[in-house]
Amino acid sequence: MVPTLYWDNDVVMILDQRKLPAKTTFIACRDMQRVIYCIQTLAVRGAPAIGVAAAMGLVLAGRSIRVKDPAKWRDRFSAKAEIMRAARPTAVNLGWAVDRILALVAVAPDEVETILAMMRTESEIMLAEDIAVNKAMGKHGARLVPKKATIITHCNAGSLATCGYGTALGVVRAAHEAGKKVKVIADETRPLLQGARLTAWEMVQEGIPVAVAPDGASGALMDKGLVDLCITGADRVAANGDAANKIGTFNLALQARRHGIPFYIAAPLSTIDLDTPSGDLIPIEERDAEEVLKFATCRSAAAGSEALNLAFDVTPNDLVSAIITEAGVLKPPYNRSLARAKAKAGLKVT
Ligand code: MRU
């Protein structure tokens, strides 16, 4: 797979996903602002990938602070970290990554060069960990996939949304690698077509059969018996299991319930936010109206019309059959299973 992001000496290289599948080009980021630009314009997107991009961007931010006094450096660095945290609101992995770097900075020795070196190493560890976590998630999730199955997914929760392998598509990959006959239906995912452009591209490269369907087709496809299960990713899972993901995921989950089809979410523990009790408290990003009013670069909506461009929706926990994590497949009641899995992994429980 083409890497989503990587270090090239002291430069952060980010695959420009806006250009896919037509072109494979990278954006060279030499400062934090450039990384934020990539996050906000969706050159890099997907919750886990955004988190690691943020960690790398903070290394660039740290290097740009030209003071030697560690206390002053830490003050300026904290201010920059808050700018990074605000780059996109819904994916909790962004704040999770910022907090992880800030925690490291707080306990690091009082020497700026040492702190910078430790941050760089930490960002590399986070990248490698993300791939390992996705593979573990894939193994657990593959057990839920029948020997022959058509899986519908929404947006792109694949290699491109992570540092490699993917969450929802990681489960698909693991099932495929285990010899199961899997087919994928990729919701096209209006308005930015992450399904049609990115999920379909990944699956074609992997040799996994894939069909792109309009977002509104899921009910009809399920009605015709063409779907066995749904697997999507998530940008933030609240403590009670309510899950924010790309707009349209809630509709898919409702259709799945109507048709008696399992609806799974695959998300790493870093996407589970125990500090947010329920989905109504998850901040939902609203993006530029132009994304909806135009199709690619051409205006497609009637002149004079406005747009509603909520980038994410929240699927209530009662529609989620299980949450696939690196710690195993978590079942309702989620308040208990999510807290237990995070505690076991040594992560913060509130
Ligand atoms: O706006 P995007 O493309 O960043 O939205 C991404 C999604 O909704 C993904 O499904 C989610 O981040 C999970 S990625 C493993």
Side-chain angles (χ1 to χ4, degrees):
M1 257 326 278
V2 181
T4 314
L5 71 176
Y6 65 95
W7 279 109
D8 181 10
N9 294 312
D10 285 342
V11 179
V12 178
M13 300 298 289
I14 291 183
L15 176 65
D16 189 350
Q17 298 190 30
R18 299 166 304 177
K19 305 256 166 69
L20 288 173
K23 277 190 200 145
T24 307
T25 51
F26 287 82
I27 300 174
C29 303
R30 294 182 172 79
D31 56 48
M32 180 180 87
Q33 255 342 102
R34 193 74 177 149
V35 175
I36 290 179
Y37 162 83
C38 288
I39 292 173
Q40 291 180 333
T41 60
L42 309 200
V44 62
R45 31 74 45 206
I50 292 173
V52 176
M56 291 173 155
L58 287 181
V59 178
L60 301 178
R63 280 195 202 131
S64 71
I65 302 168
R66 306 257 176 244
V67 292
K68 288 258 181 294
D69 175 59
K72 283 190 188 141
W73 183 92
R74 280 190 169 96
D75 276 355
R76 293 202 197 167
F77 181 74
S78 299
K80 285 185 187 279
E82 293 318 307
I83 296 171
M84 176 59 87
R85 191 194 297 280
R88 277 190 91 186
T90 303
V92 73
N93 303 61
L94 177 55
W96 170 85
V98 170
D99 285 337
R100 183 160 159 172
I101 294 291
L102 283 173
L104 177 86
V105 166
V107 298
D110 267 343
E111 218 262 314
V112 172
E113 281 310 312
T114 309
I115 302 175
L116 288 172
M118 287 174 71
M119 281 165 55
R120 163 75 185 250
T121 305
E122 189 70 2
S123 72
E124 285 165 352
I125 292 171
M126 287 163 80
L127 190 150
E129 262 180 25
D130 182 55
I131 299 170
V133 157
N134 293 339
K135 289 192 170 162
M137 212 182 308
K139 225 178 232 175
H140 293 303
R143 295 197 193 108
L144 301 169
V145 179
K147 281 197 181 109
K148 193 167 178 270
T150 300
I151 302 168
I152 192 164
T153 189
H154 194 73
C155 194
N156 170 267
S159 181
L160 294 165
T162 62
C163 299
Y165 206 73
T167 59
L169 295 187
V171 174
V172 171
R173 279 195 168 86
H176 175 71
E177 284 161 13
K180 297 186 177 184
K181 274 184 147 312
V182 286
K183 285 186 193 164
V184 169
I185 297 175
D187 278 355
E188 64 173 348
T189 319
R190 278 285 292 155
L192 298 177
L193 305 180
Q194 288 94 330
R197 294 186 302 106
L198 309 178
T199 294
W201 185 70
E202 274 194 37
M203 293 296 94
V204 167
Q205 296 219 333
E206 199 80 12
I208 297 173
V210 60
V212 176
D215 292 343
S218 54
L221 297 174
M222 289 178 190
D223 211 39
K224 286 184 181 301
L226 297 177
V227 178
D228 297 302
L229 64 155
C230 312
I231 314 179
T232 73
D235 282 78
R236 189 186 298 237
V237 179
N240 69 349
D242 293 347
N245 192 51
K246 180 55 56 192
I247 192 82
T249 305
F250 179 25
N251 297 21
L252 186 64
L254 279 169
Q255 288 295 350
R257 172 57 52 90
R258 171 76 171 84
H259 292 89
I261 289 167
F263 177 87
Y264 299 116
I265 282 170
L269 293 177
S270 54
T271 301
I272 293 167
D273 178 12
L274 299 181
D275 290 332
T276 299
S278 54
D280 52 323
L281 299 169
I282 298 176
I284 299 293
E285 178 181 13
E286 236 175 291
R287 294 185 59 84
D288 200 310
E290 294 275 284
E291 290 180 351
V292 172
L293 298 174
K294 284 182 170 173
F295 196 84
T297 52
C298 291
R299 169 98 190 187
S300 52
S305 57
E306 294 178 353
L308 297 170
N309 193 11
L310 295 178
F312 300 95
D313 59 25
V314 175
T315 299
N317 58 33
D318 62 293
L319 297 179
V320 179
S321 312
I323 300 175
I324 303 160
T325 71
E326 69 271 35
V329 176
L330 308 181
K331 296 266 175 63
Y334 292 116
N335 265 320
R336 202 181 316 152
S337 58
L338 299 185
R340 201 177 284 167
K342 291 270 268 194
K344 230 173 151 186
L347 299 167
K348 189 178 160 208
V349 184
T350 51

